[in-house]
Amino acid sequence: MNTYRLLSLSFQINHNAISMIIKKQEDFLEIIIPPAGIRDFKSITILGVMFIMPSIVLVFLVFAIYWVDLQNKIFLGLFSLPWLSIALAMLWLLVHLFANTRLKIDEQQISLTHEISGFVISQATPSSREDINKLERIKGHIKFSSPNDGGIIIEPKLVIWAGNNQYSISASPILSEVDLDLLANELSEWLKLTINKD
C-alpha cells in the first residue's frame, strides 16, 4: 500500500500482513517496525506453557513460605529465586513481542527506541546526526574461526554508525533480509552514504 503526499513521502510496506512504515521528508526520516506479536496457535501454546509453569511454581512457593517456619522459609525463598528469574525473563520476552521499533533521524539527532503504546521501554543513547558516518548491512551467515569449529551464527541486521554508537535493526519473524535490504537502500539514499556489506 503506497500513500504519497505533496511535501513528504510516507509509505507502508506490507509483508506477511504486517506493515512497516517509513516517513520521509528532506530533514526527517522515521521508520516504524511493528511488533512481532504472536502469530499462531503453536506460539500461543508454547508461550503459555513456558509462562504458566514458573508462575504456578512461584504461587505454590509463596504459599509454602507463608505456612512454614523460619528455617524453611529461608530455604524456600532461595529455592524460588531461579523460578522468579524464569518468570521475569518470560515477562521481558512478552514485552519485546509487543514492542514497536522506531528509528528516527531529524536535523539534530538519531534515536532508536522500543515502545509499547507510546511508552518507551528501551532507548539507545541518541547521537548527533552529524556523527553518522557509516551504514552497514550484515547478511545472516555462519562464521567459522577454524575448520573444526562449529561456527558462530551471525544474525542479519542493518547498522547505522554514529561515531562509536551503533543503531541496529535486526531481522525478525516480520522483517526479512529483503526488508533489511530495502531499508538499507532507503537510508543510503536519504543519508547519502554508501552501504558497507559484510
Side-chain angles (χ1 to χ4, degrees), residues 37-198:
I38 299 174
R39 303 254 167 255
D40 56 6
F41 183 72
K42 182 176 141 186
S43 299
I44 293 171
T45 305
I46 291 171
L47 196 61
V49 168
M50 289 177 68
F51 189 71
I52 289 171
M53 292 308 291
S55 299
I56 290 172
V57 172
L58 274 174
V59 168
F60 171 75
L61 287 172
V62 167
F63 282 115
I65 289 171
Y66 180 76
W67 291 107
V68 297
D69 59 351
L70 179 62
Q71 185 177 5
N72 290 330
K73 283 183 183 188
I74 294 170
F75 172 74
L76 286 174
L78 291 174
F79 183 73
S80 67
L81 289 178
W83 292 100
L84 181 61
S85 62
I86 291 170
L88 291 175
M90 290 304 300
L91 185 61
W92 178 84
L93 176 67
L94 278 174
V95 164
H96 283 278
L97 275 176
F98 297 105
N100 284 331
T101 300
R102 182 184 306 264
L103 176 70
K104 191 172 172 183
I105 306 172
D106 58 24
E107 290 178 323
Q108 285 85 28
Q109 68 179 14
I110 175 174
S111 63
L112 180 70
T113 59
H114 300 283
E115 31 186 74
I116 296 177
S117 300
F119 296 104
V120 175
I121 56 169
S122 68
Q123 179 176 6
T125 306
S127 295
S128 171
R129 180 177 173 181
E130 296 167 358
D131 292 340
I132 298 174
N133 55 2
K134 187 167 139 182
L135 180 61
E136 188 175 18
R137 172 66 176 92
I138 300 170
K139 299 274 187 184
H141 63 282
I142 299 176
K143 185 176 183 178
F144 296 97
S145 56
S146 68
N148 298 330
D149 184 6
I152 300 170
I153 297 174
I154 306 296
E155 297 290 332
K157 63 182 171 179
L158 175 63
V159 182
I160 302 169
W161 289 90
N164 292 329
N165 295 335
Q166 65 175 351
Y167 303 87
S168 64
I169 298 174
S170 300
S172 67
I174 63 162
L175 195 64
S176 68
E177 289 217 39
V178 174
D179 296 328
L180 286 177
D181 289 335
L182 177 103
L183 285 176
N185 290 331
E186 286 291 328
L187 284 164
S188 172
E189 178 186 314
W190 194 79
L191 292 168
K192 296 174 180 49
L193 289 173
T194 57
I195 303 168
N196 294 338
K197 296 187 178 179
D198 185 13

